[in-house]
């Protein structure tokens, strides 16, 4: 999940300064939302902000060996991905509604 390998592939000469951030212990949604709000002015100044990693982690399914568990994991992952995609792209949601949904991500499907 680090930035080294993706950035090495994108910019092998390493001519761009990079700052890596990680999730805060406890994964409090409000803390992470506030981090995004704090970074917003950088984007407006032309700073590239790149996120990486998976939006759905369930190691029970991720490391499953049997087909039934793998299929169950895919269904959970797809349900969460559909919810997340709708939350961040639905033009009918207001910015406040989008924020509320994201802050309550733990009640999302799967």
């Amino acid at each position: 999940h680090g930035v080294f390998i993706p950035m090495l592939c994108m910019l092998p000469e390493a001519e761009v300064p990079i700052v890596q951030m990680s999730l805060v212990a406890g994964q409090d949604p409000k803390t992470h939302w506030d981090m995004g709000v704090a970074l917003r002015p950088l984007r407006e100044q032309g700073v590239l902000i790149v996120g990486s990693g998976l939006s759905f982690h369930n190691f029970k399914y991720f490391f499953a060996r049997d087909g039934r568990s793998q299929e169950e994991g895919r269904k959970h992952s797809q349900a969460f991905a559909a919810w997340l995609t709708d939350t961040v792209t639905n033009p009918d949601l207001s910015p406040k509604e989008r924020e509320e949904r994201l802050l309550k991500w733990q009640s999302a499907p799967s």
Side-chain angles (χ1 to χ4, degrees), residues 5-82:
I5 296 300
M7 294 307 292
L8 180 64
C9 292
M10 291 169 50
L11 303 164
E13 300 301 317
E15 69 274 10
V16 176
I18 298 171
V19 175
Q20 177 173 316
M21 296 178 67
S22 188
L23 293 175
V24 175
Q27 299 183 13
D28 174 57
K30 181 74 168 103
T31 299
H32 292 95
W33 181 265
D34 291 344
M35 288 168 56
V37 169
L39 291 171
R40 184 180 301 151
L42 294 175
R43 185 176 123 190
E44 293 165 0
Q45 295 172 27
V47 174
L48 175 64
I49 300 172
V50 178
S52 69
L54 300 170
S55 64
F56 182 83
H57 287 77
N58 187 315
F59 291 114
K60 172 185 171 187
Y61 299 122
F62 192 75
F63 293 109
R65 299 276 185 216
D66 64 287
R68 185 175 183 186
S69 293
Q70 290 173 343
E71 181 59 28
E72 187 177 340
R74 268 190 291 281
K75 288 179 183 177
H76 284 289
S77 178
Q78 290 167 347
F80 184 79

Side-chain angles (χ1 to χ4, degrees), residues 1 16 32 45 50 61 74 86 92 94-96 101 103 106 110:
H1 298 281
V16 176
H32 292 95
Q45 295 172 27
V50 178
Y61 299 122
R74 268 190 291 281
D86 181 64
D92 296 329
S94 70
K96 185 65 179 167
R101 285 181 75 171
L103 291 177
Q106 291 169 317
S110 292

